Amino acid sequence: MYKILLADDEGIVIDSLKFIIEKEYGSKCDIRTAKTGRQVIEVAEEFQPDIAFMDIQMPGINGIDAMREIRRTNNHVVFIVMTAYDKFDYAKDAISIGVLDYLNKPVSREAILDVLGKAMNQIDGERRKRSNDLQVREKLETVVPIIENGLIQDLLFKEYFKEDIDNYKTLLGIDSEYGYMACMVFGRELVGNYMTSAVAVSIQAQKAYREIHTITEDYIKGIMGAVMSNKIPILIPTDSPTLSYNERNQVVENARALCRKLSERFDMDFRIGFGSVKPLERMSESYEESNSVLISTTSHVAHVDDMPVACRYEEDYPMDLEKRLFNEVTLGNVNESTALAQTFFEWMEENYSHDNDSIRLKCLEFVLWAEHLAYEKTGRMYEFQSRSNYLSELLSLAGLSDVGRWFVEKIKAAAFWVSNKHEEQSMSAVNKAKQYIDENYMKELTLDDVSRVVNISSYYFSKVFKEETGENFIDYLTKLRIEAAKNLLKTTNKSMKEIALEVGYSDPNYFSRNFKKYTGKTPTDYAKG
């Protein structure tokens, strides 16, 4: 169906146009008419035509001004100008309005139908585009929440590579390097700082998630994660490393209004906690703060910067540098950890060179914590007396330069533990396995037997064994047995059956096939030389 508006001050022109269009297209067109500029504007506002045949000279408001007014409330209408005047007189004005074509009166039936066909094709194209756009939006409505939740999950659980976060940011159009987390918590009612019926309302929230998401968008401009128990995490990207008082105040007020709105809409009580602004890779810390602040208060909305729940540092303390240092240690990035440790020590030297004791204490604190992180990441055996000399070493160092070297080397070593954990663990396991195989190859021996000895799953053991030795478990065991058999064949007069049993084969025929496969000769031929 095409909605067509005919605007001309001559009734005969309107009647002629209407007759031609209805005869050609019949019920496919809904036609309205107007004879003055004011009337055509009023009809267009109510009718919202797809196509408008416009006369330039009409009583009152002229056609050009009428088209401008119609365009303000109708972006898709296609204008066709009909005039008895030279079209070039109006071309400049009409171009900006988006006129499809000009028809000089009198107009033939063929010309009318030709331009009308063009207009209908244009309308059809725009409708297809709108339909495709709607389909894309519909698909995005499904895909975007998955991408958003993927970003939040990766940030909160730190299970990502930097490339992953960059890809998420590109897909979601995030340019910010900073952000802060909100934790939306819901329950049947708030009792103290505890939300009742968490399990029941989490099911309700899952069903109503889309509507909760839509309502929240009007109050918090962020990225919502999925429902986790009776909580929903929300990431709010920001360009600034801090929020001003006014910004923080507005965030809290918006959240209070949101809690009221959600509580009115659903039979639940809502609370929202906010963490502090941090670099995006530290959103897990901000989320912990958003949870902690709700535990420490009975308010429906709380912001960590308003509450004494987080450790506060003196203004010039390089907290970001400290966080980066321990983050690099945790990741096992030796070079980055070393450089940041050097930078932190230089900061201490520059600001507190007069207080050697405080610098030594800080170095000891950092080294102990870095090693604690390394122990956690690597599963190394902790020995109570392994650091018994640290304090005496530090106190014996004469100057700050020696303290600095001690500090940087210890941090570097902690990061090195982490960077080599997989290699050390796998090498240790493989060496232990090889020793066990060497001592027991003559027995019934399976991959599962050996993986149990080194306390690693058979799948993972098979993988690391091949990575370290260059061959799989069966090949290694078979070669070991064949080498032992070759030695027995050359140095003893034992029978084939005895040798097969001695090197781990209960079936002499199977032993003979394997021997030939690996040596190119049968055991008998090999023994003959």
Side-chain angles (χ1 to χ4, degrees), residues 428-526:
S428 175
V430 169
N431 288 336
K432 186 176 180 180
K434 288 169 68 176
Q435 181 180 349
Y436 182 79
I437 296 169
D438 291 348
E439 295 172 354
N440 296 276
Y441 68 86
M442 68 293 299
K443 301 176 182 178
E444 288 280 344
L445 207 57
T446 66
L447 175 66
D448 189 57
D449 294 332
V450 180
S451 62
R452 284 177 186 276
V453 170
V454 297
N455 197 29
I456 296 177
S457 70
S458 56
Y459 167 77
Y460 186 67
F461 171 72
S462 177
K463 181 175 181 293
V464 297
F465 189 89
K466 186 167 185 177
E467 287 176 353
E468 298 301 331
T469 65
E471 56 190 347
N472 62 41
F473 165 75
I474 293 297
D475 287 341
Y476 180 85
L477 176 61
T478 301
K479 282 185 178 180
L480 193 63
R481 286 172 168 174
I482 297 303
E483 288 300 319
K486 286 164 65 176
N487 182 59
L488 291 172
L489 287 166
K490 288 290 188 182
T491 60
T492 71
N493 293 318
K494 293 181 178 181
S495 69
M496 200 68 61
K497 184 175 182 180
E498 289 175 320
I499 291 175
L501 287 172
E502 195 165 328
V503 297
Y505 290 100
S506 58
D507 182 352
N509 292 327
Y510 181 59
F511 162 67
S512 182
R513 288 197 300 272
N514 264 2
F515 191 94
K516 185 174 183 179
K517 176 182 177 183
Y518 278 87
T519 65
K521 297 180 179 180
T522 65
T524 303
D525 290 341
Y526 184 84

Side-chain angles (χ1 to χ4, degrees), residues 31-74:
I31 301 174
R32 302 284 177 89
T33 63
K35 292 186 177 181
T36 68
R38 181 178 63 82
Q39 187 181 22
V40 75
I41 293 170
E42 292 173 347
V43 172
E45 187 172 345
E46 178 269 326
F47 183 49
Q48 290 293 302
D50 299 310
I51 302 167
F53 283 84
M54 299 290 298
D55 188 13
I56 295 296
Q57 296 297 332
M58 289 187 294
I61 302 171
N62 67 46
I64 293 293
D65 290 336
M67 284 190 286
R68 285 201 183 96
E69 190 64 28
I70 292 170
R71 181 64 76 196
R72 289 174 56 190
T73 58
N74 189 332

Side-chain angles (χ1 to χ4, degrees), residues 13 17 171 295-296 307 309 318 328 360 386 404 515:
V13 174
L17 282 172
L171 289 169
I295 295 172
S296 65
M307 307 291 292
V309 296
E328 296 299 340
R360 291 171 199 261
S386 62
F515 191 94

